[in-house]
């Protein structure tokens, strides 16, 4: 009898714990105020004396009730308070998740982003969901997408395979952005399968005409294996840190490299990659061990 009572108590405790964990993963962590995650990066070749603070925001996936325009606006206000030299937006503003109760018009989320301010500007790239949720542009195989138009309406540049020279305290550096690596997928002309994304790393790098250091924005981190040493820092989103993360491991990561580029600061062959866990939700309305975050990267 005692053993049976003990077993039932243990079983009840496990059920309560499981329910509590599920409730937290659905109702608390996804909607929590973003934590601020800070990285210090000192890449090889970075100019001595150039201190640069980058504030990175990724994967909003605007929708009701998880990421309404008012929450985006609050996150932007939080980002402004972090004193970044520049703010980068790393893609996936649109939402594909079925578990929502309302669509946020691109014009509305763009107005929220318009409140972002930084001395060296606000710079954006697009993600795969920004194509997946625009069937007209996806079918055409080129933009402008709804997201392109939304950003244009508030004066935020989208860097599609484009590099720009920026200057701080007399030091020049380059900020480059890749078009999305996954979308839009189209049948190859020879019938051999699907053509991949629109990213063009060689053409983007070819625009850099001096020896200044390079920072690269790339929505999906998988491109990092091909990024040359010429790039001091690559900044990505897309993975959401796996969205569920236990002791530094995510059971499911949308990357062909699994956990290698799932989250955080990665250094390979003297090249630096920072992957944000992002802010919104994809596929399922769950975050556990991968809370929403704003990333600060202090370079130099």
């Amino acid at each position: 009898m005692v053993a049976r009572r003990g077993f039932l108590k243990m079983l009840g405790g496990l059920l309560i714990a499981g329910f509590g964990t599920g409730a937290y993963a659905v109702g608390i962590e996804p909607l929590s105020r973003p934590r601020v995650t800070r990285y210090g990066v000192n890449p090889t070749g970075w100019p001595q004396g150039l201190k640069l603070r980058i504030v990175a925001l990724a994967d909003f996936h605007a929708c009701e009730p998880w990421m309404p325009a008012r929450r985006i606006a609050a996150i932007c206000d939080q980002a402004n308070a972090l004193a970044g030299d520049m703010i980068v937006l790393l893609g996936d503003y649109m939402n594909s998740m079925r578990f929502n109760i309302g669509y946020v018009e691109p014009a509305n989320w763009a107005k929220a982003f318009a409140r972002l301010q930084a001395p060296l500007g606000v710079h954006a790239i697009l993600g795969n969901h920004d194509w997946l949720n625009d069937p007209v542009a996806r079918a055409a195989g080129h933009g402008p997408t709804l997201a392109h138009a939304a950003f244009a309406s508030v004066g935020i540049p989208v860097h599609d395979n484009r590099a720009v020279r920026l200057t701080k305290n007399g030091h020049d550096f380059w900020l480059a952005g890749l078009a999305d690596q996954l979308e839009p997928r189209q049948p190859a002309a020879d019938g051999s399968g699907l053509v991949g994304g629109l990213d063009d790393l060689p053409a983007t790098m070819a625009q850099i005409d001096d020896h200044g250091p390079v920072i690269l924005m790339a929505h999906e981190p998988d491109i990092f294996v091909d990024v040359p040493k010429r790039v001091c820092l690559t900044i990505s989103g897309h993975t959401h840190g796996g969205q569920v993360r236990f002791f530094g491991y995510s059971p499911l990561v949308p990357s062909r490299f699994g956990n290698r580029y799932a989250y955080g600061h990665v250094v390979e062959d003297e090249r630096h990659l920072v992957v944000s866990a992002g802010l919104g939700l994809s596929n399922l309305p769950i975050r556990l061990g991968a809370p929403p975050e704003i990333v600060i990267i202090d370079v130099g």
Side-chain angles (χ1 to χ4, degrees):
M1 180 66 72
V2 174
R4 183 171 179 270
R5 285 178 179 173
F7 173 77
L8 291 174
K9 287 182 179 180
M10 181 185 71
L11 181 60
L14 290 173
L15 289 173
I16 292 171
F19 176 79
T21 300
Y24 174 83
V26 173
I28 297 178
E29 187 167 305
L31 296 170
S32 62
R33 176 179 168 87
R35 69 179 182 182
V36 177
T37 304
R38 301 171 185 267
Y39 299 100
V41 178
N42 192 13
T44 301
W46 189 258
Q48 188 173 8
L50 174 55
K51 302 293 184 182
L52 182 71
R53 170 165 288 189
I54 304 167
V55 175
L57 307 173
D59 303 293
F60 281 85
H61 295 283
C63 69
E64 298 278 359
W66 310 105
M67 188 63 71
R70 63 185 178 277
R71 187 180 182 206
I72 296 173
I75 291 170
C76 290
D77 289 342
Q78 185 182 355
N80 282 338
L82 298 176
D85 293 302
M86 64 180 180
I87 297 174
V88 297
L89 302 172
L90 299 174
D92 277 3
Y93 317 99
M94 308 285 277
N95 183 272
S96 301
M97 187 176 61
R98 296 179 181 178
F99 300 94
N100 61 70
I101 61 173
Y103 178 75
V104 178
E105 293 288 343
N108 291 335
W109 56 249
K111 288 177 184 177
F113 286 129
R115 61 205 299 135
L116 290 170
Q117 295 181 343
L120 297 181
V122 180
H123 306 267
I125 55 174
L126 299 191
N128 56 306
H129 285 270
D130 304 315
W131 289 93
L132 287 169
N133 288 275
D134 191 335
V136 174
R138 191 169 185 243
H142 60 77
T145 64
L146 294 170
H148 281 107
F151 279 123
S153 72
V154 295
I156 295 177
V158 176
H159 298 268
D160 286 333
N161 301 324
R162 177 171 173 257
V164 295
R165 184 191 285 112
L166 300 173
T167 302
K168 182 188 177 187
N169 296 337
H171 296 281
D172 291 340
F173 67 96
W174 290 85
L175 178 67
L178 288 185
D180 189 66
Q181 301 160 50
L182 296 181
E183 301 294 343
R185 298 183 181 184
Q186 296 186 64
D190 60 3
S192 60
L194 293 177
V195 177
L198 299 175
D199 61 299
D200 192 336
L201 181 59
T204 305
M205 296 300 297
Q207 299 168 39
I208 298 169
D209 59 8
D210 62 23
H211 296 290
V214 181
I215 295 169
L216 177 67
M217 301 181 291
H219 178 66
E220 296 92 354
D222 286 13
I223 193 68
F224 188 60
V225 294
D226 298 317
V227 170
K229 283 188 176 181
R230 180 79 172 77
V231 175
C232 293
L233 170 66
T234 301
I235 314 173
S236 297
H238 181 63
T239 64
H240 298 212
Q243 216 164 275
V244 174
R245 195 165 180 82
F246 302 104
F247 306 106
Y249 174 82
S250 298
L252 184 62
V253 181
S255 165
R256 69 182 190 272
F257 297 105
N259 276 266
R260 179 177 173 184
Y261 302 141
Y263 176 69
H265 183 195
V266 178
V267 182
E268 292 182 359
D269 196 24
E270 298 183 348
R271 300 165 305 132
H272 294 259
L273 167 69
V274 171
V275 183
S276 171
L279 294 150
L281 299 163
S282 180
N283 297 322
L284 292 173
I286 294 172
R287 274 188 181 267
L288 183 62
E293 71 174 8
I294 297 173
V295 171
I296 291 177
I297 308 170
D298 286 310
V299 189

